[in-house]
Amino acid sequence: MRTSARRATALVAGLLVAVLAACGSSDSSDGGGASASGAASANVAAAQAVADKYSSVPTSIVQDEPLGAVPPKKKVAFIQCADPNCATLAGFMKDATGALGWDLVTFSASGGDFGAAIQQAIDAKVDYISITGIPIALYKPQMDEAKSAGIPLFQCYNTDVPQGPENNLYSDCYDATASNVYGQAMADWMTVDSGGSAKILAVTIPSYPILTAQVDAVKAELGKNCAGCKLDKLEVTVNDLAGGAVPQNVTSYLQAHPDINYVYFTYNGLEGGVPAALKAAGLTDRVKLVGTQGNQPQFAEVAKGTSAAWSALPEEFAMWTMTDQMARLSVNKWSLKDERAAAVPPFYLVDSPELAKDLVGLEHGWPGPEGFKDTLKKLWGV
């Protein structure tokens, strides 16, 4: 968080003035104003400490135990959703499973019927099923059938909690725990950047529980470290996203709520077209754009100053992490402890042109710590 770090001293030093102004013309003589400002200063300092933890590029991964045997051949299903990003994730899964010499079969759930897609995978007698972003509650009958058939399930980007053989779920990389970490970091970044006075619009899709968990984490962290901040939610649908309605929805909300000064996107797909819409509406200078899981377009905007900050989350590494859990299960080396340790993929905050310029040339954003593929392949013995 280099940009904010350079401003931190000035922000904290000037916070007393900001807090007094926000509190109006209180003439209480009991010292309450000074006490409140002192607490606010401490909270902004606490927020700075959290954000600083994620200000540099991670260089390592938690996986470090060799399998001890080469994983046997497996046939893996990937359930591909309608979101265009799911096609990207399918490509990463193909690369990861291919490194093991395994076969990946993709089953489309573009119509939203995930149960039917999983049923197709079961009927195809795959060894493992992988899916992203969709809670088990939406395909519970097929999950039960998969368990009966001895076909384990692996997830990423969800809030279901793996319990291994107890519930037949063996992975959830980027789970609710990760959402808490990522949401807290961005909430603290906005706290520091605004000097404790951020008025935030969170743009999210409530049908994705993992995004709801992220917004909840932002709200909780603001409640802890930023009493002068406010959080509004703009809930959109997958159809809004696919139909290109999100930019106008955001613009209309900002026009109706002139106090908003930050727009926070819970993932990169929601931001597409918004900068252009805000420019056309004359709102660019009024709000700062921030978000979780930036990709090439978002980092290009940070590089040129049209977005303020995005977290760099490694989608590619997440798919390799899910595949790693499969590999470990295939040689009886899977453990819940190791799976939980890997549930929060490494990340960092990109909030300056200097940090963003290294990511602009990467089509899908930051892939993960340098050399992670070679590290995992060495652990797999391939």
Side-chain angles (χ1 to χ4, degrees):
M1 189 173 178
R2 297 176 184 175
T3 301
S4 291
R6 288 193 293 265
R7 293 197 297 259
T9 302
L11 286 171
V12 174
L15 189 60
L16 175 59
V17 175
V19 170
L20 290 176
C23 291
S25 57
S26 172
D27 57 359
S28 171
S29 60
D30 63 2
S35 175
S37 68
S41 296
N43 288 345
V44 171
Q48 180 75 64
V50 172
D52 282 349
K53 288 169 55 179
Y54 306 111
S55 63
S56 58
V57 183
T59 58
S60 62
I61 64 176
V62 299
Q63 296 93 329
D64 61 3
E65 184 180 352
L67 299 189
V70 176
K73 182 85 170 181
K74 298 292 180 181
K75 181 180 179 181
V76 179
F78 182 79
I79 309 303
Q80 185 171 323
C81 71
D83 188 318
N85 200 50
C86 280
T88 299
L89 298 178
F92 293 150
M93 277 297 294
K94 185 174 181 63
D95 290 343
T97 54
L100 288 165
W102 293 1
D103 296 324
L104 183 77
V105 184
T106 300
F107 296 89
S108 174
S110 59
D113 191 343
F114 298 96
I118 291 175
Q119 187 63 56
Q120 291 176 35
I122 295 171
D123 295 342
K125 301 186 183 306
V126 300
D127 297 296
Y128 300 142
I129 297 173
S130 58
I131 190 169
T132 59
I134 306 302
I136 290 173
L138 295 183
Y139 52 86
K140 184 66 167 58
Q142 290 77 22
M143 178 64 167
D144 292 342
E145 185 172 344
K147 183 177 181 180
S148 297
I151 304 174
L153 182 76
F154 298 78
Q155 290 182 339
C156 278
Y157 309 115
N158 224 319
T159 55
D160 295 312
V161 181
Q163 296 176 340
E166 289 189 26
N167 66 352
N168 201 43
L169 180 60
Y170 288 83
S171 171
D172 191 358
C173 52
Y174 190 159
D175 65 349
T177 304
S179 274
N180 285 338
V181 174
Y182 303 151
Q184 288 167 5
M186 192 55 75
D188 286 324
W189 187 95
M190 289 184 282
T191 294
V192 176
D193 187 69
S194 68
S197 60
K199 304 297 184 287
I200 305 159
L201 175 63
V203 185
T204 190
I205 302 177
S207 59
Y208 291 154
I210 195 67
L211 302 185
T212 299
Q214 191 184 134
V215 174
D216 290 345
V218 170
K219 181 179 180 180
E221 191 72 357
L222 292 174
K224 183 172 71 174
N225 285 340
C226 195
C229 293
K230 184 185 81 167
L231 179 69
D232 290 359
K233 283 193 296 185
L234 175 61
E235 297 182 337
V236 300
T237 67
V238 173
N239 287 339
D240 290 334
L241 181 63
V246 174
Q248 184 56 53
N249 290 350
V250 173
T251 300
S252 297
Y253 195 97
L254 294 178
Q255 290 170 332
H257 300 81
D259 61 327
I260 298 294
N261 54 9
Y262 289 83
V263 179
Y264 169 63
F265 301 95
T266 51
Y267 87 110
N268 56 67
L270 290 166
E271 190 254 7
V274 173
L278 297 185
K279 183 177 180 180
L283 296 172
T284 299
D285 294 335
R286 204 191 87 193
V287 297
K288 291 186 176 183
L289 305 183
V290 302
T292 296
Q293 201 169 351
N295 269 348
Q296 185 184 47
Q298 290 74 41
F299 296 130
E301 289 160 11
V302 175
K304 63 184 179 182
T306 52
S307 281
W310 280 82
S311 59
L313 272 62
E315 294 180 350
E316 187 168 13
F317 175 71
M319 296 300 98
W320 281 68
T321 293
M322 184 157 60
T323 303
D324 179 63
Q325 298 303 320
M326 296 178 187
R328 293 181 183 280
L329 183 62
S330 74
V331 295
N332 298 316
K333 282 292 185 72
W334 183 90
S335 77
L336 183 58
K337 179 181 177 181
D338 289 343
E339 189 281 331
R340 291 289 78 199
V344 183
F347 79 108
Y348 65 108
L349 300 175
V350 179
D351 65 349
S352 70
E354 292 79 13
L355 283 172
K357 67 181 182 181
D358 293 332
L359 301 171
V360 171
L362 302 177
E363 182 181 0
H364 302 298
W366 183 57
E370 185 174 354
F372 76 84
K373 293 180 184 179
D374 290 337
T375 299
L376 287 174
K377 286 190 284 186
K378 184 175 180 179
L379 294 177
W380 298 342
V382 298

